[in-house]
Amino acid sequence: MWCLLLLCAFLTLTFSQPTLPQLLPSGYAPIQAICPHTSLVRAATGLSESESNYLNQRKSNAACGLKAWLRKTNQGFGTDNMPTVALTTSGGGYRSLLEGAGVIQGLDSRDSNVSTSGLYQGITYQAGLSGGAWLLSSLAGNNYPTISSLKNGLWKQAFQDSLLLPDNLLVATAYASVTNDILAKQAAGFPPTLTDPWGRLLSYQLLYGNDGGVATRLSSITTFSNFTSHKVPYPIITALGVKTFQGECLPGPNATTYELTPYEFGSWDNGVSAFTQTKYLGTPLTNGVPSNGTCIQNYDNLGYVLGTSSTLFNEACAPIPISPLTNALASIVEKAHAFTTRDEYAIYPNPFHAYPRSTLISAQPELSLVDGGEAHQNNPIFPLLQPARHIDVILVNDNSADTPTNFPNGTAILTTYIQSLNAGLTKMPFIPSVETFVAKGLNKRPTFFGCNDTTKTTIVYLPNVNYTFPSNQPTAKLQYSEAETEAMIANGVQIVTKSGDETWPVCLGCAIMMKSGGNLPGACEGCFQSYCYFP
């Protein structure tokens, strides 16, 4: 989870309502648009037609990619029945972005020549939250270039000259542009919050294009060539809902998990159980119908979306010290309106207002969203357990800072297991206690969960391990030198290849194919003994 020192005392201050200055044109502000002929809200009873169509085409391409990798790895794999494979990247700020980037580089045949290269071409879904959402957004929002391309063309310089350091921000030309964007959103009738400048500043480091990729929207990914040709996994970003209308300032353990995808926004969870079209987020709706006959576009700015998944400003309700960065962000918001507790959240006009199925939130005009890992589910697994998606295998790259030394210890994935029982998501395999996790060294090497149960999804757990570099960098670290960026990504490659272990790629293939019903190499039996967790 992106861990940022946040504002507390700032909220006790009062301000007079500012007068907005003359604004320059901005691509950030939501705009009015003609509504589509199709319904804007649907019940969460299955996949949308758009996702189903993408899935059908992507599954065909992914099957070819997976077959090619399996045949390269070992000719003994039967390839008649290809499983659906997904990849997740946890929260953890830049640490998770960089380690997750290395994992993807080690899986991508366009960008590496290691034992696992080519498996990315066999993946159907990809999910990220917080720092993992930054990584996924930088990939998808730039039309899925290689990690090497992003590293050399954007990240190394941007992370070294980080705009998240106030001394850098206040002298940067981006400061004026971001301020103008935030004021333009206010002028359009959508009061900005801290998430707006937060997301805009992150965008300058993650997206190409004018004003930090201001024109890039989550829904615009559907127009990019690698997406329209189904060459890439379907992306899912997650965030959590907070019941501010019940006096909460932090999400509870069973908080609603919201999905943000190129086609839809919403949740499978009871109390919401509905989706709306991402392209028209921000539209005032009553029981799925535009309240004033017109729709809104541009609310799904990709920077705002990735900022939503990493918003922790609501933690200011706890006694947390003031941060120079948070003060800098708040000073931008203050130019638009008087600061209130509403500004601690990523705010979305509620598309499920007066929608009978969404009993938890149907009376609320707005939704308050925060970092997807705040309730300790720091791996975005929940969307991939939905029965409608039929996902067989999930590669879980966990870069959480569960320990004082910023390494994972099983806490996050155990929390997902416990909450999956409460949510009725029956495909989640058993996860042992943290004590068992650590005692058996599962936090130090890959592990297969769900090996002995065909009713469960197989999870290939890939924890952050410092193979070649101290990859346990603090989540609050806001600046990485070019050398650090290189070294962190290189360590991520070691995570997915198990530091070049010659037996690992066959074992990874065994985990992916163990429940497919096809032939397996003889080596698989030893692999299962080495890597499967048996309760």
Side-chain angles (χ1 to χ4, degrees), residues 3 16 77 154 233 336 371 442 526 531:
C3 183
S16 59
F77 285 110
L154 183 60
D371 186 296
L442 309 184
Y531 293 104

Side-chain angles (χ1 to χ4, degrees), residues 27-28 199-200 203 207 213-218 298-306 348:
Y28 187 68
R200 294 299 304 116
S203 295
L207 301 174
V214 71
T216 306
R217 300 177 300 280
L218 180 57
N298 287 6
Y299 202 94
D300 65 321
N301 174 274
L302 186 54
Y304 189 68
V305 169
L306 64 91
Y348 288 75

Side-chain angles (χ1 to χ4, degrees), residues 59 63 66-67 70 77-84 392 512-519:
K59 273 279 290 179
L66 183 54
K67 285 180 182 180
L70 288 168
F77 285 110
T79 56
D80 291 336
N81 185 24
M82 289 291 97
T84 299
D392 302 297
I512 291 171
M513 298 300 292
M514 72 168 72
K515 299 172 186 175
S516 66
N519 292 330

